[in-house]
Amino acid sequence: MRKLLITGGAGFIGVNFVYYCLERYPDCRIVVLDALTYAGNRASLDLALDSNRVEFVQGDIIDQALVTELLQKHDLDTIVHFAAESHVDRSITGPDAFIDTNVVGTHSLLKAAREVWLTQKQHFDNHRFHHISTDEVFGSLDADAPAFTESNQYEPNSPYSASKAASDHLVRAYHHTYGLNTTTSNCSNNYGPYHFPEKLIPLCITNILHGKSLPIYGDGKNIRDWLYVKDHCVGIGLILEQGVVGETYNVGGENEWDNLSLVNVLCETMDSIFSRRPELKEQFSASPMANGQSSKELITFVTDRAGHDRRYAIDAKKIRDELGYKPSVDFEQGLVKTVDWYLENQDWWQPLLPK
Ligand code: NAD
């Protein structure tokens, strides 16, 4: 039975991982540590907390004494580390929080794990520190370049990706220097339930429902590799179960879309859901579909993000060949599931919209 500390478990991917663990590991116990920044939402964990297998602690990963106490008190053997400042645009306007949480916070967690698992417990072997990272650490790919493998050079270009790169290096160093049992996964862009509505897909869904513009950076040709969030969780589970300590694994959907094409497909998905469910036109009277138009009418081009990476793409061969990983949700199916979730869970996202 695993006893997990899930940091950032009130954020988008973290909360999906909490639900995935409850389903996949019937005996697991979970402590969620989350500072509840603007991106964290305790209400997302309501169903998990009902299970009595999950405890929520509001706190900062930078607080080494708190993390040490949690590891000791709950006899935890696994850390799955999601907590981060994660929005590239915010890292451009305010990089300090990214250094504090992503670099210094990750280092505090590593120090606590080392103290409890290697020093106090005198080389307690059955522990794991799994670090969640991003494909953005590898920098930008040319249109015809092969996708990122685990051995690509790190070339981070934004304060966000630089802070994640630094945290990846610290995790690696704690394995090589102190023998901490670490694994790292570098994943491509996720989408799905509980995604904060400032990110591209939920922003477009909620803006379409309210008849607001769909902002596309630059020429809309920046390419990202999209993965349904539950498929990311499956990958993390496989790494915890079978991954080799000290290794890193790329996780991705091999599903590249440029932003403009993605928003067009999302608009078509929304239009077709509205034509199947006419009651939605009454409920969302400001949406273009309520007025006989397509949601594509809302697409607007805006000034490009500073230093915007052109293309990311993940080569997931290693996790596929070594751990049998295979994403199960195709993109069109995943978009429908995501739109349906936002339609069914307005109480979750309406309060998060900018006033
Ligand atoms: P998110 O912004 O939705 O959630 C982050 C969570 O961390 C929030 O609940 C927040 O309250 C919490 N947090 C922030 N600072 C904290 C601190 N100092 N102490 C404790 N908790 C803190 O992020 P996400 O999209 O769920 O991403 C989770 C992880 O996955 C991040 O490490 C991110 O770099 C990585 N990642 C994200 C994507 C993606 O597409 N979203 C892709 C690849 C990797």
Side-chain angles (χ1 to χ4, degrees):
M1 183 180 81
R2 281 206 178 266
K3 287 181 273 185
L4 302 103
L5 179 67
I6 299 185
T7 72
F12 164 46
I13 308 176
V15 75
N16 278 284
F17 188 68
V18 169
Y19 287 112
Y20 178 73
C21 287
L22 290 176
E23 186 185 302
R24 166 103 186 158
Y25 309 111
D27 293 332
C28 75
R29 301 252 153 208
I30 296 170
V31 177
V32 170
L33 174 62
D34 198 298
L36 296 183
T37 67
Y38 79 96
N41 192 340
R42 196 179 186 281
S44 308
L45 286 163
D46 280 351
L47 294 172
L49 292 166
D50 285 348
S51 75
N52 292 328
R53 290 199 278 143
V54 179
E55 183 169 320
F56 177 76
V57 177
Q58 182 171 355
D60 198 314
I61 55 165
I62 226 162
D63 185 347
Q64 191 187 334
L66 171 65
V67 178
T68 302
E69 184 197 321
L70 292 175
L71 293 177
Q72 290 166 330
K73 180 174 154 201
H74 298 277
D75 196 23
L76 303 171
D77 51 36
T78 302
I79 295 176
V80 187
H81 175 32
F82 295 92
E85 287 293 334
S86 70
H87 192 43
V88 179
D89 287 344
R90 287 177 188 257
S91 83
I92 295 167
T93 52
D96 297 61
F98 288 71
I99 304 305
D100 291 345
T101 288
N102 301 0
V103 185
V104 184
T106 300
H107 189 226
S108 293
L109 276 182
L110 287 163
K111 285 192 288 181
R114 178 185 168 213
E115 184 187 330
V116 176
W117 291 336
L118 299 184
T119 308
Q120 294 175 4
K121 289 197 167 186
Q122 305 216 331
H123 297 279
F124 161 63
D125 252 357
N126 188 26
H127 70 264
R128 178 72 70 84
F129 186 112
H130 183 70
H131 176 55
I132 307 295
S133 192
T134 166
D135 58 359
E136 303 197 24
V137 297
F138 297 118
S140 187
L141 283 172
D142 289 336
D144 53 357
F148 301 126
T149 69
E150 290 76 1
S151 51
N152 269 63
Q153 192 173 318
Y154 273 34
E155 291 179 357
N157 290 321
S158 71
Y160 165 66
S161 54
S163 67
K164 292 297 292 185
S167 65
D168 293 9
H169 292 321
L170 285 167
V171 171
R172 177 186 161 94
Y174 266 66
H175 171 68
H176 281 271
T177 306
Y178 303 114
L180 197 68
N181 291 344
T182 65
T183 41
T184 295
S185 48
N186 294 83
C187 191
S188 60
N189 278 42
N190 286 215
Y191 69 101
Y194 299 108
H195 206 178
F196 194 81
E198 68 181 356
K199 302 281 175 84
L200 182 64
I201 289 180
L203 176 80
C204 288
I205 296 172
T206 55
N207 279 9
I208 290 170
L209 295 176
H210 289 121
K212 292 187 174 166
S213 63
L214 307 180
I216 306 277
Y217 279 131
D219 61 3
K221 296 293 178 199
N222 301 69
I223 295 174
R224 301 292 181 261
D225 180 351
W226 291 91
L227 182 70
Y228 191 66
V229 63
K230 187 162 181 189
D231 279 329
H232 184 185
C233 296
V234 170
I236 298 165
L238 284 173
I239 296 168
L240 288 179
E241 291 161 31
Q242 306 168 39
V244 177
V245 160
E247 290 290 311
T248 71
Y249 296 87
N250 282 0
V251 184
E254 295 178 351
N255 175 43
E256 292 182 50
W257 288 83
D258 69 63
N259 287 345
L260 182 57
S261 305
L262 179 149
V263 172
N264 271 305
V265 174
L266 181 58
C267 287
E268 285 157 21
T269 306
M270 296 285 284
D271 289 355
S272 97
I273 290 177
F274 268 65
S275 66
R276 273 205 323 274
R277 296 178 54 189
E279 77 280 8
L280 292 174
K281 295 181 185 169
E282 271 175 45
Q283 212 180 331
F284 298 101
S285 56
S287 69
M289 297 79 93
N291 300 297
Q293 294 180 314
S294 164
S295 43
K296 289 183 186 173
E297 305 283 335
L298 298 172
I299 293 175
T300 315
F301 291 90
V302 298
T303 309
D304 209 353
R305 167 192 281 166
H308 202 174
D309 285 341
R310 202 64 179 162
R311 174 174 168 242
Y312 306 136
I314 282 281
D315 178 341
K317 185 176 187 308
K318 178 174 172 182
I319 189 167
R320 201 172 54 229
D321 290 357
E322 295 183 12
L323 309 185
Y325 176 69
K326 191 173 181 296
S328 65
V329 180
D330 77 36
F331 195 48
E332 281 168 25
Q333 196 190 4
L335 282 183
V336 172
K337 281 157 84 83
T338 305
V339 173
D340 282 346
W341 189 87
Y342 279 82
L343 287 172
E344 298 311 314
N345 291 278
Q346 290 174 55
D347 290 353
W348 183 85
W349 57 264
Q350 291 278 16
L352 305 178
L353 298 183
K355 298 286 176 284

